[in-house]
Amino acid sequence: RVTAENERIESELKIARNIQASMLPRVFPPFPERRELDIFATMIPAKEVGGDLYDFFFIDENRLCFLIGDVSGKGVPAALFMAITKILLKREAMQKVSPDEILARVNSVIVPDNDACMFVTLFCAVLDTKTGRIEYANGGHNPPLLTRQGRGFEYMDVSCGFVVGAMKEINFKKGADVLGEGDTIFLYTDGVTEAMNPNKEMFSEKRLKDVLCGLKDKDSAAIVEGVKHRIDEFTQGAQQSDDITMLALRFKGNNSG
C-alpha cells in the first residue's frame, strides 16, 4: 500500500510539473516574424514543481512586457502561488498600465487573501520595440544585468523595491532607460547566484557577471545556455537547492531585417 501511494504521489507531481511547465513560454523563437528582438528563457525547478516564473507577451503592436519572479518557499505551495501570480500579472499588464502599476495592482489582489503569508519577488518591464525605450519596476528582486553595444555586462542601478504580496498599499518605483541596437538585458533568480558547489561556495554575483561578459556577443539562447553550463561546471553535481530561472532579451533595433 505504501509503494502504491508513493507511486500515486509521484505520478501526480509529474503531472503538476507538466502543467506548470506548460504555463511558461516554451517555443523559441516565440515571435519569428518580429525582427526587433531576440528573447530566450528557461526555468529549472529544484523539486518536481517550483516557485519561479517568467513570462513575455505583446500588450499591443509595439510594446512587449517581460518579467521574472521568485516565490517564497518551494514545492507545491510555491507552484500554486506562482500560477496565481503569473495569471494576475498578465491580466494587469494587458490593461496597458506601467510596470509599477502592474505590481501595485497584483499586490492589492494578493494581500487580502494571503493567509499563508507568502510573497514573490518580481522584476517587470515593458519594452517599446519602435524606440527601444524600456520602463520597469522592481519588487524586491535581483537587479538585472545589461550590456551595451558589445561592452561587458554591468548590473543595472535599479530600485530594490518591496516584495509583492506581503503588505498592502505598497508603492513601487518606476524606472526607465533606452536600449540601443545590440543591447542585451539579462534577468535571473537567486537560484543562479546562490547555486552551491560541494564546498558550499556560492556561484555569486561576481561569477555571473564574469560569465556573462564572456558571452556578451552571443544570442539570447546561447547566453542563457552558456550561464547554465557554467553553473553545472561550478556545482560539480551537487544537489540543486533552489529553482534556477533566466531570461535574456537582445534588442536588435526597429530597422533589423
Side-chain angles (χ1 to χ4, degrees):
R1 286 199 300 270
V2 172
T3 300
E5 180 67 11
N6 288 339
E7 289 177 349
R8 182 189 66 81
I9 293 172
E10 184 177 348
S11 175
E12 290 183 353
L13 286 173
K14 286 181 179 178
I15 294 170
R17 179 170 188 162
N18 290 337
I19 292 172
Q20 184 181 39
S22 70
M23 294 183 66
L24 303 175
R26 296 180 296 169
V27 177
F28 296 98
F31 315 111
E33 74 284 359
R34 305 297 296 251
R35 304 298 183 184
E36 312 99 308
L37 58 93
D38 167 36
I39 189 168
F40 187 85
T42 187
M43 193 273 279
I44 305 151
K47 295 187 176 181
E48 287 81 358
V49 288
D52 281 6
L53 69 140
Y54 68 83
D55 205 357
F56 48 83
F57 46 87
F58 277 94
I59 58 179
D60 59 29
E61 183 180 353
N62 297 311
R63 290 189 296 164
L64 176 84
C65 179
F66 62 100
L67 56 93
I68 195 167
D70 184 357
V71 174
S72 59
K74 299 178 181 65
V76 174
L80 290 171
F81 200 86
M82 165 267 188
I84 293 169
T85 302
K86 181 182 177 297
I87 292 169
L88 291 174
L89 284 164
K90 187 166 187 177
R91 186 188 75 176
E92 299 303 335
M94 294 305 293
Q95 301 303 310
K96 301 181 181 180
V97 296
S98 60
D100 56 313
E101 183 65 18
I102 293 171
L103 297 191
R105 290 186 179 192
V106 171
N107 185 73
S108 68
V109 173
I110 291 176
V111 169
D113 299 316
N114 187 13
D115 295 337
C117 298
M118 299 184 74
F119 61 86
V120 56
T121 67
L122 288 166
F123 184 88
C124 177
V126 175
L127 169 68
D128 187 327
T129 59
K130 287 188 68 176
T131 64
R133 177 176 170 81
I134 180 174
E135 295 184 341
Y136 56 82
N138 192 20
H141 199 75
N142 308 75
L145 293 98
L146 176 65
T147 178
R148 294 187 182 279
Q149 300 177 342
R151 296 195 293 268
F153 274 89
E154 297 289 345
Y155 284 94
M156 293 177 64
D157 183 17
V158 300
S159 172
C160 180
F162 197 73
V163 298
V164 175
M167 187 180 299
K168 60 184 178 180
E169 298 180 1
I170 296 296
N171 293 319
F172 297 92
K173 184 177 180 181
K174 181 176 72 174
D177 208 329
V178 178
L179 300 184
E181 184 175 338
D183 291 355
T184 301
I185 185 170
F186 180 84
L187 313 182
Y188 63 99
T189 58
D190 59 13
V192 172
T193 52
E194 295 178 5
M196 288 190 178
N197 64 17
N199 297 323
K200 304 299 182 182
E201 296 174 315
M202 289 187 180
F203 191 66
S204 78
E205 293 181 351
K206 182 182 183 303
R207 283 191 179 89
L208 175 59
K209 178 183 173 181
D210 291 344
V211 170
L212 284 171
C213 286
L215 299 167
K216 60 183 175 61
D217 297 321
K218 304 291 186 180
D219 62 23
S220 61
I223 289 173
V224 170
E225 291 167 355
V227 173
K228 180 59 173 64
H229 176 70
R230 291 297 299 273
I231 292 173
D232 289 341
E233 286 185 336
F234 176 80
T235 55
Q236 302 175 46
Q239 184 176 1
Q240 184 179 331
S241 60
D242 199 0
D243 305 330
I244 291 176
T245 304
M246 295 175 277
L247 183 153
L249 182 151
R250 169 163 290 181
F251 181 60
K252 300 170 71 175
N254 194 44
N255 297 320
S256 297

